[in-house]
Amino acid sequence: LVSLAGTEWEVRTLRQKVQWMIAEEVIKINKIEVGAGYGDIVKQFASNMPSIVKVITLAVLNDRHKIFKDGSESNGFSDLYKATYDTIAWDGKVEEYGYLLLDVLQLLDISFFMESHRILEMFRASTMARKTMMAEQK
């Protein structure tokens, strides 16, 4: 349980889609060179409060029916999402955000992202090997 903007929230294990949306938000604001560390990403968040509020809102709602109208991303954000975002943004205290943000980021299961990266690297290596072999045959 976390207290934020005068309301107690239960933050549970993040669902896969919520993790993906949070990771997408991190990528949008991370304008640092390749190889940036965890601390560098947190510094970027510090200069982008709307992203912090979005990440926290996603984490506390953590359900497609709460985040999207009728549970469908194509319908846009739900009224509950918008109200929660506004409450956190307008009534929350910045000192509350820091610890909660770190907790949320620690809930991300990076094994999925690492495995995806590994598979993409295998695909790229395979494609390059095929291209090299074709070039050598010419």
Side-chain angles (χ1 to χ4, degrees):
L1 288 178
V2 294
S3 180
L4 190 62
T7 304
E8 283 195 352
W9 302 91
E10 185 175 1
V11 179
R12 296 180 179 211
T13 303
L14 298 175
R15 294 178 183 220
Q16 191 63 45
K17 175 67 175 183
V18 171
Q19 289 187 46
W20 177 73
M21 293 171 72
I22 289 172
E24 186 176 50
E25 197 64 26
V26 169
I27 289 168
K28 283 181 193 174
I29 68 164
N30 186 14
K31 298 179 181 10
I32 299 176
E33 307 266 332
V34 172
Y38 187 77
D40 297 322
I41 293 170
V42 172
K43 286 178 190 174
Q44 287 296 317
F45 265 112
S47 64
N48 197 328
M49 290 305 288
S51 289
I52 292 172
V53 174
K54 182 174 182 179
V55 166
I56 291 171
T57 302
L58 290 168
V60 298
L61 295 179
N62 198 23
D63 182 270
R64 70 177 174 182
H65 296 289
K66 293 178 181 177
I67 294 171
F68 299 114
K69 288 181 187 172
D70 301 323
S72 175
E73 190 171 355
S74 62
N75 293 334
F77 289 114
S78 69
D79 292 338
L80 176 61
Y81 174 90
K82 292 173 187 174
T84 304
Y85 180 95
D86 285 344
T87 298
I88 294 170
W90 290 100
D91 300 331
K93 295 182 176 85
V94 175
E95 53 272 6
E96 294 174 325
Y97 297 163
Y99 293 113
L100 182 54
L101 177 63
L102 288 175
D103 288 343
V104 167
L105 292 178
Q106 289 175 357
L107 289 173
L108 291 178
D109 179 8
I110 63 168
S111 63
F112 167 78
F113 301 108
M114 299 303 283
E115 184 64 14
S116 298
H117 177 71
R118 186 184 71 76
I119 290 169
L120 289 173
E121 286 299 316
M122 286 174 43
F123 175 74
R124 183 167 35 159
S126 169
T127 302
M128 289 302 292
R130 212 174 326 142
K131 184 177 177 182
T132 302
M133 185 175 68
M134 289 173 59
E136 289 173 354
Q137 290 177 354
K138 286 184 180 183

